[in-house]
């Protein structure tokens, strides 16, 4: 089983498409309101956007793995993305930086390397 997509509810489809394209996702479906779908640069996983009147972003976080968090943050700031967090090395051996999308959904840019799937505390199979 593979995770194919996540669908986010957004209040402005056009604005959200532009934001996620700025992050590096590629638009692959645009049926207009109320739905669009974008593909992550590495392929395989997609993000769907569904336009609604109001959004309650909740506490769910979306994680986007990048090769270098500092480089990704600098690139996005240059493109006008507001990032108030600073990249931080976490105790679980991931470097992370959090930001919000236009509707307040929590996004994490991170780099974990081998620790993404094989941290030292992984449960053996």
């Amino acid at each position: 089983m593979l995770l194919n997509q996540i669908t986010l509810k957004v209040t402005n489809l056009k604005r959200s498409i532009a934001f996620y394209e700025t992050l590096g996702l590629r638009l692959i479906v645009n049926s207009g309101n109320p739905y669009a779908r974008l593909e992550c640069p590495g392929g395989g996983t997609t993000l769907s956007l569904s336009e609604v009147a109001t959004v309650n972003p909740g506490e769910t976080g979306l994680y986007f793995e990048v090769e270098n968090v500092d480089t990704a943050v600098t690139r996005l700031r240059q493109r006008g993305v507001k990032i108030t967090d600073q990249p931080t090395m976490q105790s679980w051996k991931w470097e992370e930086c959090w930001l919000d999308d236009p509707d307040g959904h929590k996004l994490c840019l991170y780099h974990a390397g081998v620790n993404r799937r094989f941290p030292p505390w992984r449960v053996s199979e």
Side-chain angles (χ1 to χ4, degrees):
M1 181 185 319
L2 295 174
L3 177 63
N4 176 46
Q5 73 186 45
I6 301 292
T7 300
L8 288 181
K9 305 292 186 188
V10 300
T11 58
N12 184 311
L13 188 63
K14 185 176 179 179
R15 176 186 69 187
S16 293
I17 289 169
F19 176 81
Y20 284 99
E21 286 181 320
T22 299
L23 289 186
L25 282 73
R26 183 174 62 90
L27 186 63
I28 60 172
V29 173
N30 188 1
S31 63
N33 291 345
Y35 180 82
R37 191 166 171 194
L38 299 104
E39 184 175 56
C40 291
T45 305
T46 60
L47 176 67
S48 296
L49 304 173
S50 179
E51 188 171 273
V52 295
T54 60
V55 171
N56 180 6
E59 295 298 318
T60 301
L62 295 179
Y63 287 73
F64 293 96
E65 189 165 15
V66 296
E67 284 296 317
N68 185 297
V69 177
D70 291 320
T71 301
V73 166
T74 297
R75 180 179 54 83
L76 291 175
R77 282 186 174 139
Q78 290 170 345
R79 293 180 176 178
V81 175
K82 183 180 175 186
I83 301 175
T84 56
D85 198 14
Q86 296 298 318
T88 304
M89 181 56 74
Q90 302 294 347
S91 61
W92 48 90
K93 302 184 180 212
W94 291 22
E95 184 176 18
E96 298 182 349
C97 185
W98 286 87
L99 62 143
D100 293 342
D101 82 353
D103 283 297
H105 297 290
K106 304 297 181 197
L107 310 179
C108 181
L109 301 177
Y110 80 99
H111 180 76
V114 69
N115 291 309
R116 179 174 60 84
R117 292 194 56 227
F118 301 100
W121 48 85
R122 181 181 166 122
V123 175
S124 59
E125 296 178 20

